[in-house]
Amino acid sequence: MSPPSAIYSETATVVAGSHTNGLKTKPVIQNLGPIANVPSGQCELLDEFAGKWDEFKFGPVRESQVSRAMTSRYFKDLDTYAESDIVIVGAGSCGLSAAYVLGKARPDLKIAVIEASVSPGGGAWLGGQLFSAMVLRKPANRFLDDLGVPYEQDPTNENLVVIKHAALFTSTLLSKVLAFPNIKLFNATCVEDLITRPGNPGEPSSMRIAGVVTNWTLVTMHHDDHSCMDPNTINAPLIISTTGHDGPFGAFCAKRLVSMEAIEKLGGMKGLDMNSAEEAIVKNTREVTKGLIIGGMELSEIDGWHRMGPIFSAMMLSGVKAAEEALRIIDVRKKECEA
Ligand code: AHZ
């Protein structure tokens, strides 16, 4: 962010209606003392701070201490998660739902979540057409009960429940996922390739996925105009890819499976049909290639399912199914990788 330009005089003070010779002046906020009309005892922060701003003071800090507080932790995380148990690619509603279930079910697993965007959450900060409410079908409300997100019954359809704002769901889910000590979110980081190994002799698939290739998203976006910006890697016996339907960053692993000839071609997402799409995505969330589970809307590109548009039940339950699949095979995949 660029520094603010000087648009007002630091020293000038003005009260409403006074003349300022055209100079833009900082409006004076009179110190009213203890906040009028705020009943005490209702907010401990106000009890602590209100009316004491004159004597308020931060302790001193050296800038390098702030830098080191960030960088030492980030580099430690890079070191810790260079060998992960599970990597989740994409922190949209499906990926975060999978992370939540896995974090709860297996605190012993090291789980890295890689999100290309600075802001995790994918398409789940708003409902459809940028409206606020998030609508879903039962029994996905069980996921909300577990998470502690309030919702209301839709009066027109007993199958539908509504969260007043999609951001309430996404911020709650994100806060719970981030609180797990065994989960690290690397945002602003893009998965730009997959690590592969030959498959075991006699197995139908000729290869397995053994990790992800990452880079800062800003670097990934500039491979066409800057050369030789090599990536970093994370090894993991199991990847869950939930990068959404096709788009500039969408369906990444699905598309890569085609270019690596691990699958012949994409099914391609079909037009919108909520009824068939939601069940199809949940039921078919699975290990598509050894070591790679695909869930959420990315799966519609693999199999050719319909899209469901502004209803989110399938994304949450596809996340639950992806977690269940992961828990079923993780220990086997770990052993295979050690062999
Ligand atoms: O930034 C992407 C988003 O947050 C992230 N992502 C994509 N490619 C990535 C890559 N590396 C790292 N190569 C990557 N991150 O993946 C996230 C996908 O979130 P999403 O909300 O788009 O997908 P979802 O499957 O969780 O939810 C989709 C919800 C639906 S349904 C639908 C329709 O039917 O039209 N549209 C949407 C958005």
Side-chain angles (χ1 to χ4, degrees):
M1 192 171 82
S2 54
S5 52
I7 55 166
Y8 58 78
S9 143
E10 272 302 328
T11 50
T13 55
V14 66
V15 287
S18 71
H19 281 284
T20 61
N21 300 329
L23 181 68
K24 286 188 183 169
T25 54
K26 184 160 65 170
V28 169
I29 299 169
Q30 287 172 336
N31 185 347
L32 299 174
I35 295 180
N37 300 327
V38 177
S40 69
Q42 289 199 347
C43 173
E44 282 176 13
L45 280 174
L46 285 177
D47 289 345
E48 191 175 342
F49 288 109
K52 301 172 197 155
W53 298 112
D54 285 346
E55 62 264 33
F56 166 80
K57 205 172 176 317
F58 282 116
V61 71
R62 188 166 174 80
E63 287 77 0
S64 61
Q65 293 171 319
V66 177
S67 301
R68 285 183 175 141
M70 294 186 293
T71 54
S72 61
R73 282 165 180 78
Y74 203 88
F75 285 105
K76 185 164 179 284
D77 285 335
L78 285 175
D79 183 50
T80 304
Y81 287 87
E83 283 284 352
S84 293
D85 294 311
I86 298 177
V87 173
I88 298 176
V89 189
S93 46
C94 182
L96 287 173
S97 299
Y100 173 71
V101 176
L102 286 170
K104 255 186 129 169
R106 286 286 298 269
D108 58 309
L109 294 177
K110 246 193 292 176
I111 301 165
V113 181
I114 313 291
E115 169 52 52
S117 176
V118 170
S119 45
W125 288 107
L126 289 162
Q129 200 176 317
L130 311 185
F131 300 138
S132 309
M134 177 181 263
V135 184
L136 47 126
R137 263 193 288 183
K138 294 173 183 170
N141 60 321
R142 294 292 303 116
F143 189 86
L144 303 180
D145 295 336
D146 198 276
L147 202 58
V149 170
Y151 56 88
E152 62 183 27
Q153 174 65 51
D154 182 80
T156 68
N157 184 334
E158 62 175 5
N159 300 315
L160 293 182
V161 300
V162 185
I163 307 167
K164 70 174 181 179
H165 202 303
L168 177 58
F169 166 75
T170 300
S171 58
T172 307
L173 179 57
L174 191 54
S175 70
K176 300 254 164 127
V177 166
L178 290 174
F180 286 117
N182 59 325
I183 298 184
K184 168 66 189 179
L185 169 70
F186 295 95
N187 47 335
T189 303
C190 208
V191 167
E192 53 178 41
D193 209 344
L194 296 169
I195 299 176
T196 65
R197 297 276 187 270
N200 296 336
E203 283 185 349
S205 170
S206 62
M207 62 151 199
R208 66 179 167 84
I209 307 300
V212 294
V213 177
T214 62
N215 220 324
W216 306 119
T217 302
L218 288 175
V219 172
T220 300
M221 290 168 74
H222 284 275
H223 284 308
D224 288 342
D225 52 58
H226 280 64
S227 62
C228 302
M229 299 186 290
D230 270 333
N232 194 12
T233 57
I234 297 178
N235 277 115
L238 193 55
I239 312 301
I240 300 176
S241 186
T242 60
T243 65
H245 56 63
D246 198 7
F249 280 106
F252 175 79
C253 293
K255 290 188 280 191
R256 190 67 180 113
L257 288 183
V258 176
S259 60
M260 292 192 297
E261 298 178 343
I263 57 175
E264 201 183 317
K265 62 183 172 76
L266 293 180
M269 184 178 71
K270 305 276 185 307
L272 195 152
D273 176 355
M274 280 183 196
N275 280 306
S276 74
E278 286 216 292
E279 261 167 48
I281 295 285
V282 174
K283 286 185 172 160
N284 290 286
T285 295
R286 67 187 185 281
E287 190 181 32
V288 168
T289 294
K290 201 169 193 187
L292 177 65
I293 292 170
I294 295 193
M297 283 314 285
E298 185 167 2
L299 194 71
S300 70
E301 300 290 358
I302 290 269
D303 292 342
W305 306 120
H306 288 271
R307 64 192 295 202
M308 72 274 309
I311 188 162
F312 283 82
S313 0
M315 293 304 109
M316 296 171 203
L317 295 187
S318 172
V320 176
K321 176 94 186 302
E324 185 205 333
E325 288 285 299
L327 293 173
R328 196 172 55 76
I329 57 180
I330 181 61
D331 293 323
V332 180
R333 295 286 170 270
K334 273 173 93 166
K335 280 211 179 74
E336 286 168 349
C337 280
E338 285 156 13

